[in-house]
Amino acid sequence: MKFSLLALAALGLAMGQAAASPAQQHPFVHRPNAVVAPVDIKTSSEFKPGSLYNSQRLIKVSEAARPRWMELEDILVLRRAGVKFMDITDAQALHKPASSFDGETQYPSRLPTKLVHGKEVAKAIEGLTTQLYGDVLRPFTAFHNRYYDSENGRKSSQWLQGQIQGLVTASGANVSVAAFPHRFPQSSVIARFEGTGAGAEETVVVSAHQDSVNQWLPWFGRANGADDDGSGTVTILEAFRVLLSRGFAPSRSVEFHWYAGEEGGLLGSQDVALAYKKAARKVVADFHFDMTGFWKGSEVIGLVSDHTDPESRALVKSLAETYTRLKTKEFACGYGCSDHASWNTAGYRSAMAFESDELEGNTNIHSPRDTVETLDFDHMLEFSKLAVAFAYEVGYDSTN
């Protein structure tokens, strides 16, 4: 790496040294103090890229374009230009013709056409608060970055898994929490409520991504990642906490996923979706939350219209109108926009909720400016309500 990049990296480090301490913390939160200590970016393993890019990667930038083998420097050019892409190197089986959700599905699941769990959802929503958001986000964003192909990515993933496990342990619930490893250091994390009814072999997925990246210097630039996607991470974590507290026992199995490597081209979610497809898992739908904390203009829930299916979108719209104070507004997100696309490509239903209907509204992301202080926790709470409602209304199979 050229000296000019090292100089820029040092500047990025200096821009993001300080991290605020919350006044109160949930008892399960353990702050990653080591990550804010001064380090030498030229020698510390935390600021060195892993081996993922030692060879070329197969990159796809649109449905129509043929994938191309690219070096890391070429991929960085795409990232800096704001071009969305999917790195399909290790998941090429997902990208065969006619594999996406278009009628010829991997699993033609049934979604509820009526909402019948209003009482249970209302009681659960009463338990939601914004306290966990700050208590988890402040230490989570204290990692210099959560770059997936680095030690920071590995450590932040392990820390997040510890917080999830801490919630489960405190609740006494029989819920599993496991790392899903990848060929890069950061692991995805999956927590599973085992189904208790005839539909237990079916799986409902609620998801977010955990990694963060600096647009210009991915492996050692400062990337707090509070909104992208720390906000989605804690949005579904708060929903998960409340479900634990309510003794949630769905008839279908319900999983919460925190994906690694989304910023690298949906790496983690593609691995998970491919594994589930190979195992012939009956995935009912994935409901993904990527960025839930920043908005301007009209306060709405953005609903991604492309690389999703109309039935899932209709359900989310109904859930929002019934259980939140906000309306939905559809918008196109583009190819490789976020992890819902991996499930759509695999032939499963998917939907994605976004903080607004303006994709480029938050100009702080992928930089040291993406801090907790820029987020609206009350806005995020509406998305936690959505996650809770989705878990109840889809997790309890009322379609028979």
Side-chain angles (χ1 to χ4, degrees):
M1 189 58 61
K2 296 179 180 178
F3 175 80
S4 58
L5 287 185
L6 283 176
L8 285 171
L11 176 61
L13 229 116
M15 290 174 65
Q17 286 288 336
S21 298
Q24 292 181 308
Q25 295 181 12
H26 280 281
F28 68 89
V29 174
H30 304 288
R31 292 181 60 78
N33 295 321
V35 301
V36 295
V39 294
D40 183 345
I41 63 172
K42 294 180 288 185
T43 60
S44 173
S45 62
E46 292 179 359
F47 294 91
K48 293 181 180 179
S51 61
L52 185 66
Y53 297 103
N54 285 356
S55 56
Q56 290 183 329
R57 305 290 297 176
L58 189 59
I59 304 299
K60 190 171 174 64
V61 298
S62 74
E63 291 284 3
R66 295 181 62 182
R68 292 176 50 203
W69 290 99
M70 303 180 74
E71 302 283 354
L72 173 59
E73 287 301 321
D74 297 319
I75 297 171
L76 291 179
V77 169
L78 290 179
R79 188 194 305 280
R80 291 161 185 165
V83 176
K84 302 181 184 68
F85 61 89
M86 294 180 74
D87 182 337
I88 71 171
T89 311
D90 304 311
Q92 295 179 51
L94 281 184
H95 296 266
K96 294 178 180 178
S99 64
S100 61
F101 194 101
D102 56 5
E104 298 295 326
T105 66
Q106 174 69 16
Y107 180 63
S109 63
R110 302 179 310 276
L111 295 178
T113 56
K114 296 182 180 179
L115 305 183
V116 298
H117 297 282
K119 290 183 179 180
E120 298 95 327
V121 175
K123 289 179 181 178
I125 283 176
E126 287 177 358
L128 292 170
T129 76
T130 62
Q131 180 68 41
L132 176 143
Y133 298 157
D135 287 354
V136 173
L137 274 178
R138 288 187 177 92
F140 198 45
T141 59
F143 287 95
H144 187 75
N145 59 45
R146 303 187 298 276
Y147 181 63
Y148 52 93
D149 192 32
S150 72
E151 274 296 291
N152 273 329
R154 181 183 65 81
K155 290 179 179 179
S156 61
S157 176
Q158 290 177 340
W159 183 86
L160 177 62
Q161 183 177 346
Q163 311 316 301
I164 299 165
Q165 183 62 63
L167 283 174
V168 173
T169 301
S171 73
N174 184 24
V175 172
S176 63
V177 180
F180 187 105
H182 305 286
R183 63 172 297 180
F184 47 92
Q186 190 175 60
S187 294
S188 296
V189 182
I190 297 175
R192 179 178 173 89
F193 293 88
E194 200 68 41
T196 59
E201 76 281 0
E202 294 184 301
T203 302
V204 178
V205 177
V206 178
S207 62
H209 78 84
Q210 56 174 286
D211 58 314
S212 70
V213 66
N214 182 289
Q215 184 171 357
W216 298 97
L217 301 163
W219 53 92
F220 49 63
R222 180 72 165 110
N224 316 56
D227 194 22
D228 190 8
D229 183 29
S231 62
T233 292
V234 298
T235 289
I236 69 169
L237 185 61
E238 172 63 6
F240 179 71
R241 181 192 69 80
V242 165
L243 293 176
L244 288 172
S245 72
R246 298 293 305 172
F248 182 61
S251 55
R252 289 165 160 163
S253 297
V254 175
E255 294 183 352
F256 281 68
H257 293 190
W258 290 267
Y259 298 123
E262 187 269 352
E263 301 287 3
L266 317 189
L267 295 169
S269 59
Q270 286 189 88
D271 283 352
V272 174
L274 179 58
Y276 282 33
K277 184 173 183 176
K278 286 181 175 179
R281 292 279 294 273
K282 297 179 179 180
V283 177
V284 178
D286 165 60
F287 189 13
H288 190 60
F289 295 79
D290 189 349
M291 298 172 57
T292 63
F294 184 95
W295 65 278
K296 57 184 180 181
S298 299
E299 187 181 10
V300 298
I301 291 172
L303 185 57
V304 172
S305 60
D306 50 345
H307 305 285
T308 59
D309 66 280
E311 291 82 5
S312 294
R313 295 198 303 274
L315 174 61
V316 171
K317 181 178 180 181
S318 179
L319 293 173
E321 291 176 348
T322 304
Y323 296 119
T324 81
R325 60 179 175 81
L326 302 179
K327 302 294 186 181
T328 60
K329 188 172 182 181
E330 292 194 12
F331 71 102
C333 197
Y335 183 80
C337 170
S338 195
D339 295 302
H340 64 285
S342 296
W343 293 101
N344 178 265
T345 301
Y348 296 111
R349 295 187 186 278
S350 66
M352 177 177 147
F354 188 70
E355 59 198 10
S356 72
D357 62 337
E358 187 177 349
L359 183 61
E360 307 294 339
N362 188 352
T363 59
N364 299 315
I365 65 170
H366 303 159
S367 81
R369 301 188 308 276
D370 187 6
T371 63
V372 176
E373 290 72 26
T374 64
L375 304 183
D376 182 344
F377 285 1
D378 291 331
H379 185 66
M380 290 164 58
L381 198 64
E382 302 306 307
F383 291 81
S384 290
K385 293 176 184 178
L386 263 187
V388 167
F390 185 82
Y392 270 99
E393 296 288 0
V394 185
Y396 287 95
D397 183 7
S398 58
T399 61
N400 291 323

